[in-house]
Amino acid sequence: MNKKVKFSGLWTAILSVVSVAYIFPILLVLINSFKKKAYISRYPFAIPTDKMFVGLENYVNGLAKTGFFQAFGWTLFITVFSVAVILLCTSMCAWYITRVKGVISQGLYFMLCLFSMVVPFQMVMFTLSKIANILKLNTPWGLIIIYLGYGAGLAVFMFSGFVKSIPIEIEEAAMIDGCTPIQTFFKVVLPVMKPTCVTVAILETMWIWNDYLLPYLVLDIKKYKTISIAIQYLPMDAQTDEATCAAVDAVIAYIDSTGIDYFVGP
């Protein structure tokens, strides 16, 4: 019993040190975001005093220079609708592939869905950017379609595995009661698939929200910017100082942490 207590205490101490090491950079950015530019390099670890403290000035300047609220709106729009489209289309596709045994359905599953998970994005990114410009997909609405293509492989794979565990007798009973295939899917199958829907939604949300490369290649960044693109351009501005960057980084860290807690937390 004493050995278990000592072992548990040791792990608690180790994980406490790891937690502090993980939180410390974020805390340091937060502290420096309230300082004047001259004091950040000179006293990076000092708590802001009367001479150093500038209030919310750095936050106001950072949000204005990055167009943060517009970038946040586009990021939220792209993420929400992309995840919704992925969940709807891939769940229906997985149900069809699993229940309809045929050459076309199995070919669709293995050749398109699974093969898309194997091919590296770097092999197709320049061709994708060219085609997106030709087809006028360089907008947030077009980017949703592209995300559907890239997110479909993993989502269909996960949904297919879950549909195989659903007894087909439930669907047969629904059809005997007069349900059409569409009604069977939305009223019987989809409610049972909620655990997988939540899992896929979390994975796709974290990917799309933090994605930088695909929006950068596809979107017309003169009109549309996501948060990742706006933050990337911030240090390039000659008028932007370290304090402004720290303030914006603190805002992004807060939004990311609260968003992940909302989706993953109890």
Side-chain angles (χ1 to χ4, degrees), residues 25-40:
I26 300 176
L27 183 61
L28 186 63
V29 170
L30 181 63
I31 292 173
N32 286 318
S33 66
F34 292 100
K35 296 179 184 177
K36 294 180 181 179
K37 176 182 178 181
Y39 294 98
I40 293 179

Side-chain angles (χ1 to χ4, degrees), residues 9-250:
L10 178 62
W11 271 111
T12 301
I14 294 174
L15 293 177
S16 299
V17 173
V18 173
S19 300
V20 172
Y22 179 81
I23 297 173
F24 179 74
I26 300 176
L27 183 61
L28 186 63
V29 170
L30 181 63
I31 292 173
N32 286 318
S33 66
F34 292 100
K35 296 179 184 177
K36 294 180 181 179
K37 176 182 178 181
Y39 294 98
I40 293 179
S41 300
R42 195 179 305 173
Y43 307 107
F45 301 103
I47 302 297
T49 58
D50 294 337
K51 294 181 179 180
M52 303 180 189
F53 188 71
V54 294
L56 298 177
E57 180 181 345
N58 293 328
Y59 286 88
V60 174
N61 293 335
L63 296 178
K65 288 180 179 180
T66 57
F68 177 80
F69 292 107
Q70 183 181 12
F72 176 80
W74 285 123
T75 305
L76 185 63
F77 172 83
I78 292 170
T79 302
V80 170
F81 283 94
S82 296
V83 172
V85 171
I86 289 172
L87 289 177
L88 177 62
C89 295
T90 57
S91 59
M92 296 179 71
C93 179
W95 182 58
Y96 175 82
I97 289 173
T98 305
R99 293 298 186 234
V100 179
K101 301 294 184 180
V103 178
I104 297 177
S105 62
Q106 295 305 309
L108 178 68
Y109 178 64
F110 287 103
M111 296 301 296
L112 295 182
C113 297
L114 296 185
F115 186 72
S116 65
M117 299 170 58
V118 178
V119 178
F121 175 74
Q122 290 77 6
M123 291 182 60
V124 298
M125 61 182 185
F126 293 111
T127 305
L128 172 66
S129 178
K130 182 69 174 179
I131 294 175
N133 289 330
I134 294 174
L135 298 178
K136 305 299 181 182
L137 295 177
N138 54 350
T139 63
W141 301 272
L143 187 59
I144 292 173
I145 299 175
I146 297 174
Y147 272 127
L148 172 61
Y150 276 99
L154 177 62
V156 170
F157 179 76
M158 295 181 67
F159 278 123
S160 296
F162 188 83
V163 171
K164 292 177 182 178
S165 65
I166 301 176
I168 196 171
E169 290 79 10
I170 299 177
E171 302 170 29
E172 293 175 347
M175 292 183 179
I176 292 173
D177 290 337
C179 289
T180 63
I182 298 297
Q183 290 175 328
T184 301
F185 175 78
F186 283 103
K187 294 183 178 181
V188 177
V189 179
L190 190 59
V192 181
M193 296 170 65
K194 282 183 179 179
T196 307
C197 287
V198 173
T199 303
V200 173
I202 292 173
L203 294 175
E204 301 292 349
T205 298
M206 295 179 66
W207 164 52
I208 296 172
W209 179 269
N210 295 300
D211 190 24
Y212 166 77
L213 190 56
L214 191 55
Y216 182 79
L217 291 174
V218 174
L219 290 178
D220 183 359
I221 58 177
K222 294 181 180 179
K223 297 180 180 179
Y224 314 104
K225 287 183 181 179
T226 60
I227 291 179
S228 301
I229 296 175
I231 297 303
Q232 191 266 342
Y233 273 90
L234 181 61
M236 296 183 180
D237 189 351
Q239 298 178 349
T240 303
D241 52 41
E242 294 88 345
T244 303
C245 293
V248 176
D249 290 341

Side-chain angles (χ1 to χ4, degrees), residues 1-9:
M1 183 66 180
N2 292 331
K3 291 183 178 180
K4 290 184 179 180
V5 173
K6 291 181 180 179
F7 186 75
S8 176

